[in-house]
Amino acid sequence: MDLLAEYRRATMFFEMGDASGAVRLLEPIVEAEPGNSAVRQLLARAYFQTAQLHRAEEQLRELVDRDPSDHYAHHVLGRTLERMNRPADALRHLRIAAAMHSTNTDYVTALHRVENRVGGGH
C-alpha cells in the first residue's frame, strides 16, 4: 500500500465532505503507522464529522498524550467532549487550547460557550 497516496486520497475525500470515505482510507494507515500524528489527526476529525465521537476522543487523547503542546488536538478534543455532553471534561482542553493560542477566535468562542454552560467556568 502506498501510504502517502492513500493519505492524499483520504484528505481529498475529507475536503470534499466525504468524511466516511476518509475514515475507510485512514484507519489502515493509522494501523500501519501509529506514530503518524498528521494521519491520526485527520482520522480524529473524520470521526468527529461522522459523529463517531468515542473514536474521535480515543485518537485525540493519543495525540494530546504524545504532544501536550498540540493546541489544535486540545481544541478538537474539547469540542468532541462538548458534543458528547461532557462540558466539564471539555473545559480543561478548551482552556489549554485558548491559553496556547489566544488569538484564535474559534478557540476563544468555544471556551466561552462551554464556560457559560458549566456556570462561568467556576
Side-chain angles (χ1 to χ4, degrees):
M1 170 186 346
D2 181 353
L3 297 178
L4 182 57
E6 288 298 293
Y7 176 70
R8 287 181 179 146
R9 282 186 57 218
T11 301
M12 184 182 68
F13 275 55
F14 185 81
E15 289 173 354
M16 291 178 9
D18 184 0
S20 294
V23 165
R24 284 189 302 276
L25 294 169
L26 292 166
E27 285 177 332
I29 300 172
V30 167
E31 190 173 314
E33 291 190 11
N36 189 323
S37 295
V39 175
R40 190 175 294 276
Q41 181 189 91
L42 186 58
L43 178 58
R45 292 175 60 206
Y47 282 148
F48 182 87
Q49 290 297 321
T50 57
Q52 297 180 65
L53 302 178
H54 291 287
R55 289 180 173 185
E57 179 185 3
E58 282 178 14
Q59 299 302 318
L60 292 161
R61 286 196 184 279
E62 179 69 28
L63 288 169
V64 166
D65 287 347
R66 283 186 196 168
D67 182 5
S69 69
D70 184 343
H71 59 86
Y72 185 74
H74 278 286
H75 174 72
V76 179
L77 178 55
R79 293 289 320 280
T80 299
L81 294 167
E82 175 189 13
R83 195 167 167 196
M84 295 169 76
N85 199 28
R86 293 166 51 195
D89 295 333
L91 194 54
R92 174 179 180 265
H93 296 284
L94 294 173
R95 282 180 172 154
I96 291 169
M100 285 194 278
H101 207 293
S102 62
T103 59
N104 186 310
T105 56
D106 289 339
Y107 289 14
V108 174
T109 300
L111 174 60
H112 290 305
R113 182 179 58 244
V114 173
E115 281 178 336
N116 289 333
R117 189 169 169 199
V118 296
H122 303 292

